[in-house]
Amino acid sequence: NRHRIMKKFLRIVSVCAAAFCCCAYYPDSAFAGPSKPRKVGVQMYTFHTMTLEDSLPLLKNAGIKGVGLTAGQALSRKYPNVKRIGPDMNREERDYLKKILADNGCVPVSFGVYYTSKKSDIDRACAFAKDIGVPIILTEAPADWLDEWEKCCEKHGVKMALHNHASDSKANNYYDPKVVRDLVKKYKNIYACPDNGHWSRSGIDGVEGYKTLEGKIAILHFKDQKEFGNIKNQPVVFGTGALDMKGLLAELDRQGFDGYFLIEHEANYGKNLPEVVKCAEYLKTH
């Protein structure tokens, strides 16, 4: 009887040891995944050939709630003078913006990329974001304006995130994640909005870019590209291009990223809803 008990004990020890070895052998990333469903939205430049009012029902029907408002889109045919959404909108126009978002069950999660040549506009932009209920303003503001952005964000209770275009941009060198990291790291209310599609166009590995910006990523413009390292913008449905989408998601999951993935499908304008839906489904299932 004692012999049988000892044999059973040794079998249990053996099984536990094997399990321990398996867990120890594989890296944590092999078992990593989002702790809760990903937050999925659309950067509305994707539908900029339509008004915001006409494009929001597309998101509602697709089950997508997050909306990245852009100044590059008109508001509504009801307000033909509002060619650009932003701080210049009056009270009536702002209330209508909030109404059509609510009517479609959509949540404004960002505004931008916001450009201005006047430093005095920063406060107006932050006040507009607070009024509309937008938590994050995306900009490519000059480096020497960041102190003012920090002050105005603190005043209005919003955040700013530096966005990047590709290395062919003549405005700045924000395509380099190390440059953005060094600019935003000291601020409480200033973060990064990395665009991995523009990183790819610049020959920058997205996984390494995310690692560089760890802890300061507020929101994402998320893309797949037909070719890595080609300066031409070639967005494709997630998982069908050359980028390591699973690796990108695994790195963000490792970091515990809990912000919005904004789909920005800059192709096939006016007919790109099927691609957007497929991208959203990829994020929900990977």
Side-chain angles (χ1 to χ4, degrees), residues 223-271:
K223 297 172 183 171
D224 199 352
Q225 293 278 323
K226 183 178 179 181
E227 298 174 275
F228 175 81
N230 188 334
I231 195 65
K232 183 179 178 182
N233 197 11
Q234 302 171 298
V236 294
V237 171
F238 297 168
T240 67
L243 305 192
D244 179 13
M245 304 302 281
K246 291 182 179 179
L248 292 167
L249 292 175
E251 172 56 25
L252 291 164
D253 292 339
R254 182 195 67 78
Q255 294 185 22
F257 174 72
D258 191 36
Y260 269 88
F261 291 77
L262 292 185
I263 300 164
E264 186 175 28
H265 196 75
E266 298 170 296
N268 201 23
Y269 293 122
K271 299 178 291 183

Side-chain angles (χ1 to χ4, degrees), residues 69-73 75 81-95 97 110-132 134 137-139 149 156:
L69 296 172
T70 174
Q73 186 177 34
L75 175 63
N81 292 329
V82 185
K83 303 295 186 184
R84 298 176 63 80
I85 292 169
D88 291 336
M89 293 168 59
N90 63 32
R91 179 75 270 151
E92 180 182 336
E93 294 158 352
R94 293 184 186 200
D95 287 344
L97 168 58
S110 68
F111 166 63
V113 177
Y114 175 68
Y115 297 97
T116 179
S117 60
K118 297 188 294 184
K119 195 174 181 179
S120 58
D121 282 340
I122 296 174
D123 190 72
R124 293 178 64 243
C126 291
F128 168 75
K130 182 178 181 180
D131 183 20
I132 301 301
V134 175
I137 304 172
L138 315 181
T139 81
W149 272 105
H156 294 284

Side-chain angles (χ1 to χ4, degrees), residues 40-44 52 55-56 59-60 64-70 73 85 97 100-101 104-111 134-136 219 260 262:
V40 179
V42 173
Q43 174 65 10
M44 295 307 288
L52 179 66
S55 54
L56 286 177
L59 300 192
K60 180 180 180 180
I64 300 172
K65 294 187 175 182
V67 174
L69 296 172
T70 174
Q73 186 177 34
I85 292 169
L97 168 58
I100 61 176
L101 286 165
N104 288 280
C106 292
V107 179
V109 299
S110 68
F111 166 63
V134 175
I136 305 169
I219 194 168
Y260 269 88
L262 292 185

Side-chain angles (χ1 to χ4, degrees), residues 139-193:
T139 81
E140 293 187 19
D144 60 0
W145 286 16
L146 296 192
D147 286 348
E148 184 68 15
W149 272 105
E150 174 70 12
K151 182 180 76 173
C152 293
C153 285
E154 181 71 24
K155 173 184 173 182
H156 294 284
V158 298
K159 297 186 186 303
M160 183 269 263
L162 278 185
H163 176 268
N164 64 276
H165 276 90
S167 55
D168 59 348
S169 170
K170 297 179 181 178
N172 55 60
N173 59 350
Y174 295 167
Y175 67 89
D176 184 342
K178 294 177 182 176
V179 169
V180 174
R181 175 200 62 196
D182 291 344
L183 285 174
V184 306
K185 63 183 180 182
K186 73 174 184 177
Y187 294 104
K188 172 186 172 185
N189 297 295
I190 298 178
Y191 290 79
C193 171

Side-chain angles (χ1 to χ4, degrees), residues 19-33 211 250-251 254:
F20 175 79
C21 288
C22 288
C23 292
Y25 178 78
Y26 292 104
D28 290 343
S29 60
F31 300 95
K211 288 180 179 178
E251 172 56 25
R254 182 195 67 78

